[in-house]
Amino acid sequence: MKKTLSTAMLAATLLLSTPWQPESAHAAGAYTAKVYASSLNVRSEPAASASVTGSLKSGALVTVTDEQHGWLKVRAGSVSGWVAGYYLKRTSGTAEAASGTAAGAASVKTSSPSSGSAGGTAQVTASSLRIRGGPGTGYKVLGSLKEGDSVKILLRQGDWARIRTASGETGWVAGQYIARGGSSTGSTWSSGSSPRTGSIRGKLIVIDPGHGGSDPGMLGTSYDTMEKDLTLQTAFYVRDYLRAKGARVELTRTRGDQKPSLSRRVQIGQQLRADAFVSIHYNSSPKKVSGTLTFFYSENNDLRLARSIENRLRQGIGLKSNGLSFGDYHILRENSLPATLVELGFLSNRTDESIVRTASYQKKAAKAIAEGLADYFD
Ligand SMILES: [Zn+2]
């Protein structure tokens, strides 16, 4: 998103945006949505396998209070629980967005962060500015800045900026309250601190096929494709391509009936002292969106890896790349390894689903991931 966008356009973008970063589970502020299914099951947990606790009729209005992997936590009268997000359409912005602060969207569609003038210095223009853990008002407040404070802009995402303070803390602030061109604090910011070692040969890569066992992940809306199957098949292809390049590969699961916990998946990489960690997922959204998304959490630890892979994904695997995005996922956040999470298409989109369920697509995506990893170690 270019920073020349008017505030009105930004506000409109925010109001129209619906959560489409799965698993982030931190929707910022409640909003109202309408049911677009003749009968929609409400479940106890954000999973298709969870028990049904109620149902909603077409046209029902619900309050959405949380999001997790394409599932939305809703409340309507005495009914509350989780529903598949693609059967809901948002009818209102958050209270904050509606009142004009334009900062309350659950998640913001990103364009390429590289267009966001990262690396520059800016000064705080608000008398007090909160630093948050992520790009939205739903994220935890980590600290605050005063007017005139100088910050380094690490990344822009939507109308949020990831910044580093003079004292070295990092976090997110609303981009409208910082202005470029402030005096430089002279602080040094280096991107991608991971050492460059020359070759992927001999490197140990952990590939994490998302979901598994009783957790099918997202379900395709047209062909009933299960995300957990696609992630495993794709991971096997990634393993083949990586081994052909001389890398060593471990998978966090190798069977359809396995469901390692998120912390266990992270632990596998740590215990093996692996060189990189890639989590594979397929996406879902109530919006008509298509293509891939590549997530990072730490700009020091993850961004260069994510960028290397996204560069390859965008070179034509059959679906467009939606670029890089900050993602507050356990698997990235709790991971000390360079880690990235890729969403390789939308199972809520009929065209995407028909493409991603083919072996030829999965191989192209896997090859791009392997080549991106090779670029990373080059
Ligand atoms: Zn997933």
Side-chain angles (χ1 to χ4, degrees):
M1 193 175 291
K2 292 205 175 62
K3 61 181 159 59
T4 48
L5 277 180
S6 71
T7 308
M9 283 173 73
L10 280 172
T13 307
L14 287 165
L15 287 168
L16 289 169
S17 74
T18 39
W20 67 316
Q21 296 184 5
E23 296 166 334
S24 45
H26 41 49
Y31 61 89
T32 306
K34 196 171 181 175
V35 174
Y36 286 85
S38 52
S39 174
L40 178 58
N41 283 332
V42 180
R43 297 181 185 273
S44 59
E45 302 286 334
S49 55
S51 59
V52 175
T53 57
S55 79
L56 294 163
K57 288 200 173 59
S58 180
L61 290 175
V62 299
T63 303
V64 180
T65 57
D66 201 355
E67 185 218 351
Q68 203 170 118
H69 200 88
W71 289 81
L72 297 175
K73 190 170 194 181
V74 302
R75 202 175 53 228
S78 59
V79 178
S80 72
W82 294 85
V83 300
Y86 40 80
Y87 293 118
L88 291 183
K89 281 204 178 70
R90 186 174 185 149
T91 62
S92 76
T94 65
E96 284 179 275
S99 69
T101 60
S107 63
V108 178
K109 182 182 183 306
T110 62
S111 52
S112 172
S114 56
S115 66
S117 328
T121 304
Q123 277 184 307
V124 175
T125 58
S127 55
S128 173
L129 180 60
R130 285 175 172 167
I131 305 173
R132 293 184 181 273
T137 54
Y139 290 88
K140 212 170 104 182
V141 175
L142 306 175
S144 71
L145 291 160
K146 290 194 302 294
E147 187 169 355
D149 283 351
S150 216
V151 296
K152 196 87 174 170
I153 301 171
L154 306 179
L155 181 79
R156 283 183 185 267
Q157 182 167 313
D159 65 348
W160 287 78
R162 182 150 173 83
I163 54 99
R164 171 165 296 151
T165 67
S167 56
E169 296 153 274
T170 55
W172 293 84
V173 298
Q176 62 185 312
Y177 300 118
I178 52 175
R180 296 296 302 272
S183 63
S184 171
T185 57
S187 66
T188 52
W189 175 67
S190 59
S191 72
S193 57
S194 323
R196 299 191 176 219
T197 46
S199 166
I200 194 171
R201 189 159 286 279
K203 292 291 186 302
L204 177 59
I205 318 292
V206 172
I207 303 297
D208 172 45
H211 313 281
S214 61
D215 168 19
M218 291 318 309
L219 300 175
T221 44
S222 302
Y223 303 94
D224 292 330
T225 316
M226 279 199 268
E227 183 187 355
K228 70 168 183 176
D229 296 334
L230 296 182
T231 60
L232 187 57
Q233 287 158 17
T234 309
F236 285 139
Y237 291 132
V238 176
R239 183 170 70 178
D240 292 345
Y241 284 113
L242 287 173
R243 283 182 174 164
K245 291 178 183 297
R248 296 174 293 141
V249 184
E250 284 293 333
L251 303 187
T252 57
R253 70 180 177 95
T254 54
R255 296 201 318 266
D257 61 354
Q258 289 172 318
K259 184 191 170 188
S261 67
L262 292 176
S263 44
R264 176 63 194 142
R265 292 171 198 247
V266 171
Q267 196 184 38
I268 288 169
Q270 319 274 52
Q271 285 175 345
L272 294 169
R273 297 173 185 272
D275 296 291
F277 186 105
V278 179
S279 188
I280 295 174
H281 288 258
Y282 287 81
N283 215 337
S284 181
S285 169
K287 291 182 71 178
K288 185 152 176 53
V289 283
S290 163
T292 66
L293 267 167
T294 306
F295 291 93
F296 66 94
Y297 178 79
S298 157
E299 74 274 8
N300 278 332
N301 209 27
D302 305 336
L303 182 54
R304 195 167 65 78
L305 173 64
R307 187 168 278 150
S308 297
I309 290 176
E310 197 274 333
N311 274 339
R312 291 290 181 167
L313 289 173
R314 71 164 55 246
Q315 286 172 20
I317 59 166
L319 286 178
K320 70 166 181 189
S321 169
N322 293 294
L324 293 165
S325 181
F326 169 81
D328 188 12
Y329 301 129
H330 179 106
I331 211 102
L332 303 180
R333 188 182 60 240
E334 307 300 328
N335 211 323
S336 65
L337 305 176
T340 182
L341 184 151
V342 290
E343 295 277 4
L344 295 172
F346 283 86
L347 296 180
S348 49
N349 177 310
R350 187 186 180 87
T351 309
D352 275 27
E353 190 189 359
S354 69
I355 290 171
V356 303
R357 59 207 296 274
T358 63
S360 75
Y361 173 82
Q362 293 161 21
K363 285 180 188 171
K364 276 183 270 183
K367 190 160 184 251
I369 291 167
E371 284 173 352
L373 278 159
D375 294 343
Y376 171 74
F377 289 109
D378 257 352

